[in-house]
Amino acid sequence: MTKKILTGNEAIARGAWEAGLHVAAAYPGTPSTEILENMAQYKEVYSEWAPNEKVAVEVASGASIAGARSLAAMKHVGVNVAADPLFTMAYIGVNGGFVLVSADDPGLFSSQNEQDNRWYAPHAKVPMFEPADSQECLDFIKEAFEVSERFDTPVLFRVTTRICHSKGVVELGDRQEVPVREYVRNTAKNLMTPAAAKVRHRLVEDRLEALRAYSNRCPFNRIEWGDKRVGIITSGIGYQHAREVFGDGASYLKIGFSFPLPDEMIRAFAACVDKVYVVEENEPYLESKVKELGIPCVGRALLPAVDELSPSVVRKAFLAHDQEEPLRLDVPIPPRPPVLCAGCPHRGIFFALSKVKDKVVSSDIGCYTLGSLAPLNVGDTVICMGASVSAGVGFQKTQQIAGRTGKVFGVIGDSTFFHSGITGLIDSVFNKVPLALIIVDNRITAMTGHQENPGTGRTLMGEETVALDLESLCISCGVKRENLVVLDPYDLKACDEAVKAAQACPEPFVIITRQPCALIKDVQKKRAGVRCVVDQSKCVKCKSCLRPGCPGIAMKDGVIVIDPAQCNGCGLCMQLCPKQAISREGEVHE
């Protein structure tokens, strides 16, 4: 067998391909993004970026009912969006196997909350796998499809950031060619009217009992005997940390199939050790079940409820008397404050907004969230994908009720607008709420790594396709043509005029800013050699050019300097210089 070093995400894609996967759908979101990016290389699998996670699960659900093995992948907050079809698919079951991958983010490395999606399994009543390394990602995902079909159920496959992005040696296998199953019309199973759902719910309860029996004999739940004075019950990355800290100085019940939990195995393990520790991140999911079984244990009382675990955290919690001095690197790490990139096309419209006094800005999930930071300070709220529009509607309506004059601006990206912003705009128009919506269209899904979206004209699999027209889409939602402006955000005058028009408009108003992300490879090639330079003989050190907060320009040793490695010649600083001391050099290479 061939061995290869893979991340967890790469191993999930490989394992699903080996399992005979037919259809995969996802919305990009760290730490899950690379699953579908890697899946796209396997041409036997139809892979797509869906507009949002709900659509991804519904695509996979339809494929499963039709007889295909299907997979949907998303970050943890995406499951909130997808919960509606997931809970009903738990009643319907499957035809071809269906696995939903939830990539949780303990430590909030790139997320707005730290929810623990293990609780979705008992809530939706679907089985759950939790791999602890890349090899297990490959092995477990293959078994997940088998369990899905054997027990007629969707399967939740829960991983975390460390599992997704850590690398390990993986033994590769061959693809199992699984034929698409025959579809036979069965409305009692697949059409969830209340009467049918009541019958299916009883079957779900019976299925859970069968899955509990499977859990107690599942090879992915195993006991590793060591010193029996301490028994550690753990799963996922918690197992790796516990192993590193305790070594052979403890015994382990490693749980890889974590719903339903192996109750008989837990009881048998606890009976053989003197005391039980539970090592898990965030919520006391395992600990609650262990205590429910009447087994004394220690976990949350010692472990933090916030942030991800690490060996040092586990060591401090359980072996405080035996601390090891951590390794230290005597090299100062340069500060890297979050900031919009040099030449970011969002900076111009945000700079225009920053000059508006009486305003509230409802922001969203994406690069533009960074506009809330100094010196721009544009952004009052961030809730979830698409909420900038809907929450903006609620905020603007409250302004009217309270007799306040402040204008509410919603800011959303092109991909996020396609994800879940359209319905908010419809709400604004339908209910006559004069929200000013700014769609910052940078022609890509930028923050997650430049994935295609319905506005880019290309699919995940590289095929040319229709690029949705944001202007026409907004008009079809009911926005009047005279209340819609499309502009170049590098044009500060146009930005100022559009913001003023939006502020004065008593009706829903949309501004679409259109410039591609400065980091897109083709854009970088086109702008290679283009940069702005300062004529020091004209510069009066007024610092007007620094006001938008571009990291490519700064005052050093009393002199304004532009970093040629960062500058892409966007020209914002040129437009702000009162002495015309800044000019653009270089030609745009077509």
Side-chain angles (χ1 to χ4, degrees):
M1 289 291 183
T2 303
K3 292 186 177 181
K4 193 173 182 180
I5 296 176
L6 300 178
T7 65
N9 282 344
E10 291 170 330
I12 290 169
R14 174 72 188 201
W17 174 79
E18 290 184 12
L21 183 71
H22 302 105
V23 174
Y27 184 82
T30 305
S32 70
T33 304
E34 298 82 10
I35 297 171
L36 260 286
E37 287 183 332
N38 280 277
M39 194 71 74
Q41 70 179 300
Y42 301 113
K43 300 310 178 186
E44 300 91 341
V45 180
Y46 166 74
S47 299
E48 71 165 43
W49 288 130
N52 64 32
E53 296 87 355
K54 180 176 184 288
V55 173
V57 167
E58 289 163 348
V59 167
S61 297
S64 170
I65 292 170
R69 284 194 166 183
S70 64
L71 177 143
M74 59 204 65
K75 68 181 297 172
H76 61 297
V77 291
V79 182
N80 301 333
V81 179
D84 196 0
L86 171 63
F87 276 58
T88 301
M89 281 301 293
Y91 279 29
I92 290 174
V94 304
N95 185 12
F98 170 31
V99 177
L100 190 159
V101 181
S102 170
D104 291 11
D105 191 20
L108 301 103
F109 290 96
S110 56
S111 306
Q112 63 269 42
N113 71 34
E114 202 173 13
Q115 71 189 51
D116 188 334
N117 275 7
R118 290 179 297 176
W119 293 103
Y120 263 112
H123 197 23
K125 301 188 176 184
V126 295
M128 176 169 60
F129 285 86
E130 280 191 82
D133 57 36
S134 294
Q135 183 66 63
E136 289 190 350
C137 284
L138 186 145
D139 295 338
F140 285 20
I141 199 80
K142 292 166 74 171
E143 178 66 11
F145 283 105
E146 297 295 331
V147 166
S148 177
E149 292 175 353
R150 190 185 320 156
F151 293 96
D152 189 16
T153 178
V155 172
L156 183 64
F157 196 86
R158 191 256 187 176
V159 285
T160 59
T161 300
R162 293 295 169 186
I163 302 299
C164 291
H165 293 165
S166 297
K167 292 190 174 185
V169 177
V170 177
E171 188 174 281
L172 306 182
D174 297 324
R175 178 172 168 84
Q176 176 189 3
E177 292 299 341
V178 179
V180 174
R181 293 184 170 193
E182 181 183 1
Y183 167 70
V184 178
R185 186 172 186 265
N186 185 349
T187 56
K189 183 178 190 297
N190 297 328
L191 201 156
M192 283 300 97
T193 60
K198 185 175 292 186
V199 174
R200 294 299 301 176
H201 189 185
R202 295 190 182 97
L203 295 176
V204 169
E205 299 301 327
D206 293 340
R207 182 181 72 202
L208 287 176
E209 290 305 310
L211 283 165
R212 187 169 289 107
Y214 166 81
S215 182
N216 280 294
R217 65 175 187 273
C218 176
F220 300 148
N221 296 332
R222 67 175 187 264
I223 294 174
E224 299 174 1
W225 293 116
D227 191 328
K228 293 186 178 180
R229 288 177 294 179
V230 174
I232 297 175
I233 300 175
T234 186
S235 65
I237 196 64
Y239 167 76
Q240 304 289 6
H241 296 325
R243 259 295 184 187
E244 183 171 337
V245 171
F246 288 90
D248 293 332
S251 295
Y252 303 87
L253 171 52
K254 180 193 176 299
I255 296 177
F257 184 80
S258 52
F259 185 78
L261 284 163
D263 51 356
E264 295 173 11
M265 185 177 286
I266 291 171
R267 287 193 181 96
F269 176 74
C272 295
V273 297
D274 296 341
K275 55 185 175 182
V276 175
Y277 293 156
V278 180
V279 177
E280 58 185 331
E281 288 179 319
N282 295 155
E283 300 300 318
Y285 170 77
L286 297 174
E287 182 180 353
S288 297
K289 180 62 177 180
V290 174
K291 289 181 174 177
E292 182 184 315
L293 295 173
I295 300 168
C297 63
V298 178
R300 171 50 51 81
L302 299 178
L303 291 169
V306 177
D307 214 341
E308 64 172 355
L309 293 183
S310 66
S312 62
V313 170
V314 174
R315 184 177 290 108
K316 182 177 180 180
F318 295 103
L319 300 174
H321 61 282
D322 185 26
Q323 288 293 292
E324 294 182 7
E325 183 66 23
L327 294 175
R328 298 188 183 278
L329 186 63
D330 294 327
V331 176
I333 299 174
R336 294 184 62 191
V339 65
L340 293 171
C341 301
C344 176
H346 304 333
R347 185 170 278 106
I349 192 69
F350 281 170
F351 183 64
L353 268 180
S354 71
K355 294 181 284 185
V356 177
K357 300 298 183 184
D358 195 12
K359 68 172 185 306
V360 172
V361 178
S362 176
S363 194
D364 221 295
I365 307 297
C367 299
Y368 39 90
T369 307
L370 299 172
S372 63
L373 304 176
L376 295 168
N377 300 308
V378 173
D380 292 82
T381 68
V382 169
I383 302 174
C384 64
M385 297 282 282
S388 62
V389 193
S390 309
V393 169
F395 207 114
Q396 183 66 76
K397 196 63 184 177
T398 302
Q399 296 284 73
Q400 294 175 323
I401 294 169
R404 301 171 189 156
T405 58
K407 185 72 173 183
V408 178
F409 289 84
V411 178
I412 194 167
D414 50 328
S415 183
T416 312
F417 182 70
F418 294 133
H419 178 282
S420 49
I422 298 171
T423 47
L425 180 59
I426 293 171
D427 185 62
S428 173
V429 173
F430 173 66
N431 289 300
K432 300 189 288 186
V433 179
L435 175 74
L437 179 62
I438 300 173
I439 304 174
V440 286
D441 179 11
N442 61 4
R443 320 305 295 165
I444 206 72
T445 309
M447 181 163 270
T448 51
H450 291 170
Q451 290 78 35
E452 309 294 344
N453 68 53
T456 65
R458 188 178 294 273
T459 70
L460 169 61
M461 301 185 77
E463 298 173 346
E464 296 292 329
T465 186
V466 173
L468 293 190
D469 183 340
L470 280 170
E471 184 176 0
S472 299
L473 187 56
C474 291
I475 290 171
S476 70
C477 288
V479 177
K480 295 179 179 178
R481 289 184 182 274
E482 60 266 28
N483 294 340
L484 191 149
V485 175
V486 181
L487 58 82
D488 178 352
Y490 290 151
D491 184 340
L492 290 180
K493 182 180 179 182
C495 290
D496 287 335
E497 291 175 351
V499 167
K500 288 177 182 177
Q503 190 176 26
C505 186
E507 298 176 313
F509 196 99
V510 174
I511 300 170
I512 300 174
T513 69
R514 184 161 291 150
Q515 270 285 356
C517 171
L519 299 185
I520 295 175
K521 290 181 179 178
D522 288 344
V523 173
Q524 289 184 318
K525 290 178 182 177
K526 182 179 179 180
R527 298 176 183 172
V530 180
R531 64 185 184 276
C532 292
V533 294
V534 180
D535 184 342
Q536 299 298 340
S537 67
K538 295 181 180 179
C539 179
V540 295
K541 319 300 190 291
C542 67
K543 302 181 184 177
S544 295
C545 55
L546 303 182
R547 289 163 59 200
C550 177
I553 185 169
M555 176 170 274
K556 295 182 179 179
D557 301 323
V559 177
I560 298 294
V561 294
I562 295 176
D563 182 356
Q566 294 194 67
C567 181
N568 70 351
C570 75
L572 294 187
C573 56
M574 286 174 52
Q575 299 171 65
L576 291 170
C577 181
K579 300 298 182 180
Q580 297 182 324
I582 303 176
S583 59
R584 185 184 285 118
E585 285 188 348
E587 297 295 330
V588 174
H589 303 300
E590 298 294 346

